[in-house]
Amino acid sequence: MYKLVAVLATVASVSAFVPGSSPRFATRSTSLNADYGKYDDGMWDNSAKVEIYNAWDPATPRSAMNFNPFETFEGNTPDASGRYPGEAFYKDPKRGDINFNQMMVERKEAEARAASPKPGDAPGCAGCKN
């Protein structure tokens, strides 16, 4: 008799941990709504950055598909989705190999961009982080 009572008490206490069938216990799916850029899983090299820069519109609000890949913020450059280290959804990009000659070519390109920025590219514009 005591064994039967002990078994029934155990079964009754276990049912306390089973989720109820009530609608208030129903699970809901969560959506993070994280947008990622064109090169999110691809190689984030200078040619990819130039392509994103050429498509960038400084007058349009900044997004994963509209940002200046050469803009720095607090000493950091953005990932392939325009996010900076420390921000939500930042992903360390895949970077290609580089050598000194490539660096010199990229330096000349950077100097040319700085000498003639896109129209509307000014600190505080909609497409800029700064």
Side-chain angles (χ1 to χ4, degrees):
M1 174 76 169
Y2 291 113
K3 288 183 184 179
L4 179 61
V5 171
V7 169
L8 290 175
T10 304
V11 170
S13 66
V14 170
S15 67
F17 299 105
V18 176
S21 60
S22 170
R24 67 183 179 148
F25 293 111
T27 58
R28 297 181 187 149
S29 64
T30 57
S31 176
L32 298 177
N33 295 329
D35 294 330
Y36 291 104
K38 180 177 180 181
Y39 290 96
D40 181 55
D41 290 323
M43 188 64 62
W44 188 234
D45 56 1
N46 192 55
S47 61
K49 290 179 182 181
V50 168
E51 182 180 339
I52 297 298
Y53 179 79
N54 290 336
W56 174 55
D57 179 12
T60 304
R62 196 170 196 284
S63 69
M65 301 302 267
N66 186 56
F67 66 96
N68 181 353
F70 299 107
E71 180 182 28
T72 58
F73 180 70
E74 296 180 356
N76 296 306
T77 57
D79 68 359
S81 299
R83 294 182 181 85
Y84 292 89
E87 292 183 350
F89 306 112
Y90 172 81
K91 290 174 72 176
D92 194 28
K94 297 176 186 174
R95 302 185 200 284
D97 291 333
I98 194 159
N99 60 43
F100 184 75
N101 292 332
Q102 283 179 301
M103 290 172 63
M104 292 297 104
V105 169
E106 290 176 15
R107 180 179 178 182
K108 288 180 184 176
E109 290 175 5
E111 290 170 351
R113 267 192 310 276
S116 61
K118 283 190 164 191
D121 181 10
C125 72
C128 289
K129 175 78 173 178
N130 296 325

